[in-house]
Amino acid sequence: IKKKEDKVTAFRLENERIRAKETSANPLTLGQQTTLVRNAQIVEKLESEIDDADETLNESIRASISGRKSTERKQKKQKKNTGGDSDESYGSDSDDAFYDRTRSAVDRRRKKVGGKA
């Protein structure tokens, strides 16, 4: 959002500088007029994008805050119902052997070293 706001500021500054060159004796060239129109369109587009991004950000923040409150309530209810954290909810120790691949990796390395020598 900040980058887009900086771009808007830069385009507005460019438009001001171009308009400052305009005098009654020295009108703007066709290219300068085209640049003014193009910059104005870009500024409008960027401002609408900024508004959309700002609105999305605010909605996200609101949802995050309300979501945090609701999850805190759910967690408190669960702790009351289950009596706090328990090891049963994380599975048994027998599951650890399923995920432990270090033993087999060490055995494979030993076989490779033994087979090459």
Side-chain angles (χ1 to χ4, degrees), residues 62-78:
R62 279 188 225 109
S64 176
I65 291 171
S66 66
R68 232 184 257 147
K69 288 179 183 176
S70 67
T71 55
E72 287 174 2
R73 287 186 208 128
K74 288 179 185 177
Q75 288 174 350
K76 287 180 182 178
K77 286 181 182 179
Q78 287 177 350

PDB file of all heavy atoms in Angstrom, residues 62-78:
ATOM      1  N   ARG A  62      -9.649  -7.553  11.089  1.00  0.00           N
ATOM      2  CA  ARG A  62     -10.864  -7.806  11.873  1.00  0.00           C
ATOM      3  C   ARG A  62     -11.117  -9.302  12.018  1.00  0.00           C
ATOM      4  O   ARG A  62     -11.459  -9.792  13.095  1.00  0.00           O
ATOM      5  CB  ARG A  62     -12.070  -7.135  11.217  1.00  0.00           C
ATOM      6  CG  ARG A  62     -12.173  -5.668  11.540  1.00  0.00           C
ATOM      7  CD  ARG A  62     -13.494  -5.087  11.039  1.00  0.00           C
ATOM      8  NE  ARG A  62     -13.197  -3.827  10.380  1.00  0.00           N
ATOM      9  CZ  ARG A  62     -13.263  -3.586   9.079  1.00  0.00           C
ATOM     10  NH1 ARG A  62     -13.668  -4.534   8.255  1.00  0.00           N
ATOM     11  NH2 ARG A  62     -12.947  -2.428   8.590  1.00  0.00           N
ATOM     12  N   ALA A  63     -10.959 -10.033  10.923  1.00  0.00           N
ATOM     13  CA  ALA A  63     -11.182 -11.480  10.957  1.00  0.00           C
ATOM     14  C   ALA A  63     -10.156 -12.159  11.862  1.00  0.00           C
ATOM     15  O   ALA A  63     -10.492 -13.082  12.602  1.00  0.00           O
ATOM     16  CB  ALA A  63     -11.103 -12.060   9.551  1.00  0.00           C
ATOM     17  N   SER A  64      -8.944 -11.678  11.804  1.00  0.00           N
ATOM     18  CA  SER A  64      -7.894 -12.253  12.641  1.00  0.00           C
ATOM     19  C   SER A  64      -8.194 -12.017  14.113  1.00  0.00           C
ATOM     20  O   SER A  64      -8.052 -12.916  14.936  1.00  0.00           O
ATOM     21  CB  SER A  64      -6.547 -11.636  12.271  1.00  0.00           C
ATOM     22  OG  SER A  64      -5.539 -12.112  13.111  1.00  0.00           O
ATOM     23  N   ILE A  65      -8.617 -10.824  14.441  1.00  0.00           N
ATOM     24  CA  ILE A  65      -8.937 -10.498  15.839  1.00  0.00           C
ATOM     25  C   ILE A  65     -10.137 -11.305  16.308  1.00  0.00           C
ATOM     26  O   ILE A  65     -10.101 -11.916  17.368  1.00  0.00           O
ATOM     27  CB  ILE A  65      -9.189  -8.983  16.000  1.00  0.00           C
ATOM     28  CG1 ILE A  65      -7.871  -8.225  15.809  1.00  0.00           C
ATOM     29  CG2 ILE A  65      -9.785  -8.672  17.359  1.00  0.00           C
ATOM     30  CD1 ILE A  65      -8.041  -6.727  15.741  1.00  0.00           C
ATOM     31  N   SER A  66     -11.194 -11.331  15.502  1.00  0.00           N
ATOM     32  CA  SER A  66     -12.384 -12.087  15.905  1.00  0.00           C
ATOM     33  C   SER A  66     -12.091 -13.584  15.896  1.00  0.00           C
ATOM     34  O   SER A  66     -12.603 -14.315  16.732  1.00  0.00           O
ATOM     35  CB  SER A  66     -13.566 -11.762  15.001  1.00  0.00           C
ATOM     36  OG  SER A  66     -13.313 -12.218  13.690  1.00  0.00           O
ATOM     37  N   GLY A  67     -11.257 -14.039  14.982  1.00  0.00           N
ATOM     38  CA  GLY A  67     -10.883 -15.444  14.933  1.00  0.00           C
ATOM     39  C   GLY A  67     -10.077 -15.839  16.146  1.00  0.00           C
ATOM     40  O   GLY A  67     -10.238 -16.919  16.701  1.00  0.00           O
ATOM     41  N   ARG A  68      -9.199 -14.958  16.578  1.00  0.00           N
ATOM     42  CA  ARG A  68      -8.392 -15.225  17.764  1.00  0.00           C
ATOM     43  C   ARG A  68      -9.276 -15.349  18.992  1.00  0.00           C
ATOM     44  O   ARG A  68      -9.092 -16.222  19.816  1.00  0.00           O
ATOM     45  CB  ARG A  68      -7.388 -14.080  17.962  1.00  0.00           C
ATOM     46  CG  ARG A  68      -5.981 -14.563  18.123  1.00  0.00           C
ATOM     47  CD  ARG A  68      -5.039 -13.434  18.409  1.00  0.00           C
ATOM     48  NE  ARG A  68      -4.306 -13.126  17.201  1.00  0.00           N
ATOM     49  CZ  ARG A  68      -3.883 -11.948  16.833  1.00  0.00           C
ATOM     50  NH1 ARG A  68      -4.122 -10.905  17.586  1.00  0.00           N
ATOM     51  NH2 ARG A  68      -3.214 -11.777  15.724  1.00  0.00           N
ATOM     52  N   LYS A  69     -10.239 -14.455  19.073  1.00  0.00           N
ATOM     53  CA  LYS A  69     -11.145 -14.501  20.227  1.00  0.00           C
ATOM     54  C   LYS A  69     -11.941 -15.799  20.234  1.00  0.00           C
ATOM     55  O   LYS A  69     -12.097 -16.432  21.271  1.00  0.00           O
ATOM     56  CB  LYS A  69     -12.086 -13.300  20.208  1.00  0.00           C
ATOM     57  CG  LYS A  69     -11.402 -12.000  20.541  1.00  0.00           C
ATOM     58  CD  LYS A  69     -12.375 -10.842  20.492  1.00  0.00           C
ATOM     59  CE  LYS A  69     -11.672  -9.524  20.748  1.00  0.00           C
ATOM     60  NZ  LYS A  69     -12.583  -8.390  20.623  1.00  0.00           N
ATOM     61  N   SER A  70     -12.432 -16.199  19.054  1.00  0.00           N
ATOM     62  CA  SER A  70     -13.242 -17.424  19.012  1.00  0.00           C
ATOM     63  C   SER A  70     -12.390 -18.660  19.264  1.00  0.00           C
ATOM     64  O   SER A  70     -12.834 -19.592  19.922  1.00  0.00           O
ATOM     65  CB  SER A  70     -13.977 -17.533  17.679  1.00  0.00           C
ATOM     66  OG  SER A  70     -13.066 -17.723  16.625  1.00  0.00           O
ATOM     67  N   THR A  71     -11.152 -18.673  18.755  1.00  0.00           N
ATOM     68  CA  THR A  71     -10.299 -19.836  19.008  1.00  0.00           C
ATOM     69  C   THR A  71      -9.877 -19.884  20.466  1.00  0.00           C
ATOM     70  O   THR A  71      -9.738 -20.966  21.026  1.00  0.00           O
ATOM     71  CB  THR A  71      -9.044 -19.837  18.112  1.00  0.00           C
ATOM     72  OG1 THR A  71      -8.342 -18.618  18.285  1.00  0.00           O
ATOM     73  CG2 THR A  71      -9.406 -20.044  16.661  1.00  0.00           C
ATOM     74  N   GLU A  72      -9.687 -18.716  21.092  1.00  0.00           N
ATOM     75  CA  GLU A  72      -9.357 -18.700  22.521  1.00  0.00           C
ATOM     76  C   GLU A  72     -10.507 -19.291  23.325  1.00  0.00           C
ATOM     77  O   GLU A  72     -10.301 -20.062  24.259  1.00  0.00           O
ATOM     78  CB  GLU A  72      -9.050 -17.278  22.988  1.00  0.00           C
ATOM     79  CG  GLU A  72      -7.708 -16.759  22.505  1.00  0.00           C
ATOM     80  CD  GLU A  72      -7.496 -15.294  22.856  1.00  0.00           C
ATOM     81  OE1 GLU A  72      -8.374 -14.686  23.511  1.00  0.00           O
ATOM     82  OE2 GLU A  72      -6.440 -14.756  22.475  1.00  0.00           O
ATOM     83  N   ARG A  73     -11.720 -18.933  22.945  1.00  0.00           N
ATOM     84  CA  ARG A  73     -12.893 -19.473  23.644  1.00  0.00           C
ATOM     85  C   ARG A  73     -12.968 -20.985  23.461  1.00  0.00           C
ATOM     86  O   ARG A  73     -13.241 -21.721  24.392  1.00  0.00           O
ATOM     87  CB  ARG A  73     -14.169 -18.825  23.113  1.00  0.00           C
ATOM     88  CG  ARG A  73     -14.355 -17.398  23.562  1.00  0.00           C
ATOM     89  CD  ARG A  73     -15.713 -16.865  23.122  1.00  0.00           C
ATOM     90  NE  ARG A  73     -15.622 -15.433  22.962  1.00  0.00           N
ATOM     91  CZ  ARG A  73     -15.989 -14.760  21.880  1.00  0.00           C
ATOM     92  NH1 ARG A  73     -16.501 -15.402  20.862  1.00  0.00           N
ATOM     93  NH2 ARG A  73     -15.863 -13.459  21.823  1.00  0.00           N
ATOM     94  N   LYS A  74     -12.727 -21.454  22.238  1.00  0.00           N
ATOM     95  CA  LYS A  74     -12.777 -22.891  21.965  1.00  0.00           C
ATOM     96  C   LYS A  74     -11.711 -23.625  22.753  1.00  0.00           C
ATOM     97  O   LYS A  74     -11.958 -24.701  23.301  1.00  0.00           O
ATOM     98  CB  LYS A  74     -12.588 -23.153  20.466  1.00  0.00           C
ATOM     99  CG  LYS A  74     -13.770 -22.756  19.614  1.00  0.00           C
ATOM    100  CD  LYS A  74     -13.492 -23.013  18.151  1.00  0.00           C
ATOM    101  CE  LYS A  74     -14.620 -22.515  17.274  1.00  0.00           C
ATOM    102  NZ  LYS A  74     -14.323 -22.707  15.848  1.00  0.00           N
ATOM    103  N   GLN A  75     -10.515 -23.055  22.809  1.00  0.00           N
ATOM    104  CA  GLN A  75      -9.431 -23.698  23.545  1.00  0.00           C
ATOM    105  C   GLN A  75      -9.758 -23.772  25.035  1.00  0.00           C
ATOM    106  O   GLN A  75      -9.480 -24.781  25.684  1.00  0.00           O
ATOM    107  CB  GLN A  75      -8.117 -22.946  23.333  1.00  0.00           C
ATOM    108  CG  GLN A  75      -7.543 -23.136  21.943  1.00  0.00           C
ATOM    109  CD  GLN A  75      -6.316 -22.274  21.694  1.00  0.00           C
ATOM    110  OE1 GLN A  75      -5.995 -21.395  22.486  1.00  0.00           O
ATOM    111  NE2 GLN A  75      -5.640 -22.520  20.586  1.00  0.00           N
ATOM    112  N   LYS A  76     -10.347 -22.711  25.572  1.00  0.00           N
ATOM    113  CA  LYS A  76     -10.720 -22.732  26.993  1.00  0.00           C
ATOM    114  C   LYS A  76     -11.766 -23.805  27.254  1.00  0.00           C
ATOM    115  O   LYS A  76     -11.703 -24.519  28.242  1.00  0.00           O
ATOM    116  CB  LYS A  76     -11.248 -21.358  27.424  1.00  0.00           C
ATOM    117  CG  LYS A  76     -10.150 -20.314  27.555  1.00  0.00           C
ATOM    118  CD  LYS A  76     -10.708 -18.983  27.975  1.00  0.00           C
ATOM    119  CE  LYS A  76      -9.618 -17.929  28.049  1.00  0.00           C
ATOM    120  NZ  LYS A  76     -10.148 -16.611  28.410  1.00  0.00           N
ATOM    121  N   LYS A  77     -12.742 -23.925  26.345  1.00  0.00           N
ATOM    122  CA  LYS A  77     -13.774 -24.946  26.500  1.00  0.00           C
ATOM    123  C   LYS A  77     -13.159 -26.336  26.423  1.00  0.00           C
ATOM    124  O   LYS A  77     -13.517 -27.227  27.187  1.00  0.00           O
ATOM    125  CB  LYS A  77     -14.850 -24.798  25.419  1.00  0.00           C
ATOM    126  CG  LYS A  77     -15.777 -23.632  25.647  1.00  0.00           C
ATOM    127  CD  LYS A  77     -16.827 -23.555  24.546  1.00  0.00           C
ATOM    128  CE  LYS A  77     -17.735 -22.377  24.725  1.00  0.00           C
ATOM    129  NZ  LYS A  77     -18.728 -22.289  23.641  1.00  0.00           N
ATOM    130  N   GLN A  78     -12.238 -26.549  25.483  1.00  0.00           N
ATOM    131  CA  GLN A  78     -11.615 -27.857  25.333  1.00  0.00           C
ATOM    132  C   GLN A  78     -10.804 -28.215  26.573  1.00  0.00           C
ATOM    133  O   GLN A  78     -10.809 -29.350  27.024  1.00  0.00           O
ATOM    134  CB  GLN A  78     -10.712 -27.884  24.098  1.00  0.00           C
ATOM    135  CG  GLN A  78     -11.478 -27.919  22.797  1.00  0.00           C
ATOM    136  CD  GLN A  78     -10.555 -27.868  21.585  1.00  0.00           C
ATOM    137  OE1 GLN A  78      -9.363 -27.630  21.712  1.00  0.00           O
ATOM    138  NE2 GLN A  78     -11.125 -28.070  20.404  1.00  0.00           N
TER     139      GLN A  78
END
